[in-house]
Amino acid sequence: MFLFHTFNGMIAAVSSAAGLEDHGKISKRSIGRIMLEGEVAESVQLVDEMSKAQGGFTAAPTACLSDRV
């Protein structure tokens, strides 16, 4: 519940500072999905940065989405 109010409060503060009109609240489900998407993006970025630091990623994935098509 705390995250719900904090998230919507941040959206309201940023939109107000930017001079934008606030059009309501974001649902708890949407906030959960946004947070999950952020975690996935963070993991992808971490792998990319590690790959660059090692000179290229050497481990091959066991399955590729293109293999399933």
Side-chain angles (χ1 to χ4, degrees):
M1 185 69 118
F2 176 72
L3 180 63
F4 175 70
H5 294 296
T6 302
F7 199 89
N8 279 307
M10 286 189 312
I11 297 294
V14 170
S15 62
S16 174
L20 302 173
E21 186 178 340
D22 188 6
H23 289 284
K25 306 292 180 202
I26 300 175
S27 72
K28 292 177 188 178
R29 181 179 176 140
S30 292
I31 291 171
R33 289 179 175 210
I34 292 166
M35 298 297 290
L36 179 60
E37 184 176 339
E39 291 174 16
V40 170
E42 177 185 20
S43 296
V44 169
Q45 183 178 7
L46 178 62
V47 170
D48 182 53
E49 293 297 326
M50 289 174 62
S51 174
K52 289 177 185 176
Q54 294 175 354
F57 194 65
T58 57
T62 56
C64 187
L65 290 178
S66 61
D67 294 338
R68 298 179 188 169
V69 177

